[in-house]
Amino acid sequence: MSRTLAALLAATVCAGTAVAQTAPVASTEAPFTLDDALASARAKSPGVEAADAGVRASTAGRTVAGLRPNPSFEGQAENVAGTGPYRGLSGSETTVGFSLPIEMGGKRSARVAVADTRIGRAKLGAFVALADLEQQVTETYVEAVGAERRLLVAREQAAIATEGLRVARDRVMVGATSPIDQQRADVISINANVAVERAQRSLAVARENLSRVIGRPVTAPLDTVWFDRVAGIGPTVAPSAEGTLALAIAAADLATAEAQVRLARANRVPDVTLSAGARRLQSTRDTAAVVGVSIPIPLFNNGRAAIGQATAERDQFAAQFRLARLDADRAIASALADVANAAATARAANGPALAAAQEAARIARLGYGQGKFDQIELLDAERTLSETRAAATDALIAFHTATARLRRLTSAAPSATPSGDY
């Protein structure tokens, strides 16, 4: 009787020690939240810098498109260094003048229209870069928090396995069970410790990846309260791509193609070059004005091929716009279902299912320690608890990842963007 009482007291003490070792230690340091990660990433993201540079380049292109053709200076000497009366410079004729190309057909305004659409496309690209960055940072942050949760679960399972090994050893010592129970418990304890090492390495990699994405080291604890929260997505979002970045990008590409067609038509009109100057006749010391007009003859390249090319490209982008609408609608509908399914799974796995598995494992441990259950029943309960904990963590990761994907797909485009039905 005294030996049994001592074993029960020892089990109680060791169980308390195991709980104390695996319970999260309260930290006075503020958690590094997802908003903190997003702010750091926006400040140092190469993708955002590239998008900003693209906007500056397109703005400069707008200035270039609005410039008129430069005038030309012309100088010409005739009847120089010849024979007879044209020997030397005595019979030379020197002409000095300027020529000015005049664009016809609205080429300048057509170029400016193309440049304007490219500015709009570049600005949309900046919004896309931000939206992609937010999705990447969110997914990386979720993986890091999930890795922390997996490590915590692995340590709890290792503590439970260590306690199970101790109980099995005590029961074998008093002859209450066969030595095979101790061997099974020993194997489970070894595997649990290996799982802790794997979880530690996974957490280190996840934190390093998060540091790379946001451009700064992450040393503070992550926001597990946010990770555990399974909030609804608010009012039901209609599976429509209207007003989203994806559709705005396709519309901007189509607008650029439309402007290219207009430019190709304007380029069909020949330009006129006016020239004016003065000619000095060395033999008589007289000066005369020289004027001229130059008009190219569209004999070999009349611009029709360029118009055909631009029109075909416009038709291509129009079809791609319609395809983008279909793809976006389908992706949003799928993402909505993924979020709803992940939310339901996360609530169940982290609520009733996890509570039932924990209670079953607790009863199995007490019953095994008292000799009421055999080890197979204990191992089955522990395995169920471990799988439920892993499923709970995976469900939370899937929920936050699906929510980030839905947020990216439904990212609203700025109001001043090309849109419409094509």
Side-chain angles (χ1 to χ4, degrees), residues 207-252:
R207 277 185 167 266
E208 288 175 1
N209 289 337
L210 180 59
S211 299
R212 293 188 184 100
V213 170
I214 67 176
R216 55 165 289 188
V218 179
T219 58
L222 301 180
D223 191 357
T224 56
V225 175
W226 168 85
F227 182 72
D228 291 331
R229 187 183 305 120
V230 183
I233 59 174
T236 302
V237 180
S240 174
E242 292 298 331
T244 61
L245 276 176
L247 201 62
I249 286 290

Side-chain angles (χ1 to χ4, degrees), residues 93-394:
E93 297 179 3
T94 305
T95 305
V96 177
F98 289 89
S99 62
L100 177 65
I102 299 177
E103 292 182 315
M104 308 296 291
K107 293 184 180 65
R108 179 168 170 265
S109 61
R111 286 197 310 270
V112 170
V114 172
D116 287 337
T117 60
R118 287 176 176 169
I119 291 177
R121 178 62 173 81
K123 290 180 178 179
L124 282 175
F127 282 95
V128 169
L130 280 174
D132 290 341
L133 178 65
E134 289 180 359
Q135 181 182 8
Q136 181 186 24
V137 172
T138 301
E139 292 178 350
T140 308
Y141 187 89
V142 168
E143 284 296 329
V145 182
E148 281 194 351
R149 179 58 53 82
R150 289 192 179 103
L151 176 58
L152 177 62
V153 171
R155 285 173 175 170
E156 291 177 351
Q157 292 299 124
I160 291 172
T162 301
E163 177 62 16
L165 175 60
R166 189 201 62 77
V167 173
R169 186 182 296 115
D170 290 346
R171 287 173 56 82
V172 170
M173 289 179 59
V174 299
T177 185
S178 64
I180 192 63
D181 285 6
Q182 180 179 344
Q183 296 299 323
R184 289 197 194 101
D186 193 15
V187 172
I188 293 173
S189 179
I190 293 173
N191 291 336
N193 291 327
V194 173
V196 170
E197 294 178 3
R198 290 200 303 266
Q200 288 174 337
R201 284 190 289 269
S202 297
L203 176 58
V205 172
R207 277 185 167 266
E208 288 175 1
N209 289 337
L210 180 59
S211 299
R212 293 188 184 100
V213 170
I214 67 176
R216 55 165 289 188
V218 179
T219 58
L222 301 180
D223 191 357
T224 56
V225 175
W226 168 85
F227 182 72
D228 291 331
R229 187 183 305 120
V230 183
I233 59 174
T236 302
V237 180
S240 174
E242 292 298 331
T244 61
L245 276 176
L247 201 62
I249 286 290
D253 291 335
L254 179 56
T256 301
E258 290 277 7
Q260 291 284 7
V261 173
R262 176 188 169 188
L263 178 59
R265 289 171 178 167
N267 286 334
R268 283 200 67 189
V269 180
D271 294 337
V272 176
T273 301
L274 302 179
S275 59
R279 174 173 296 177
R280 177 176 176 77
L281 289 79
Q282 186 67 24
S283 59
T284 62
R285 306 288 183 175
D286 293 327
T287 302
V290 178
V291 295
V293 177
S294 174
I295 302 176
I297 301 175
L299 179 61
F300 302 109
N301 182 8
N302 58 11
R304 291 181 179 176
I307 293 177
Q309 178 185 3
T311 303
E313 291 176 350
R314 188 268 315 276
D315 295 341
Q316 177 187 10
F317 282 108
Q320 290 178 351
F321 176 84
R322 296 190 296 270
L323 180 61
R325 186 196 298 274
L326 295 175
D327 290 342
D329 287 342
R330 184 171 59 251
I332 292 174
S334 176
L336 279 169
D338 291 342
V339 170
N341 293 336
T345 304
R347 291 190 184 99
N350 289 275
L354 182 58
Q358 289 174 337
E359 181 63 15
R362 186 188 68 83
I363 294 173
R365 291 187 210 109
L366 292 176
Y368 178 71
Q370 297 174 3
K372 297 179 180 180
F373 299 144
D374 58 25
Q375 193 184 42
I376 299 301
E377 294 173 319
L378 173 63
L379 295 180
D380 183 66
E382 295 290 4
R383 181 172 58 255
T384 301
L385 176 59
S386 177
E387 292 173 353
T388 305
R389 283 173 167 170
T393 301
D394 293 341

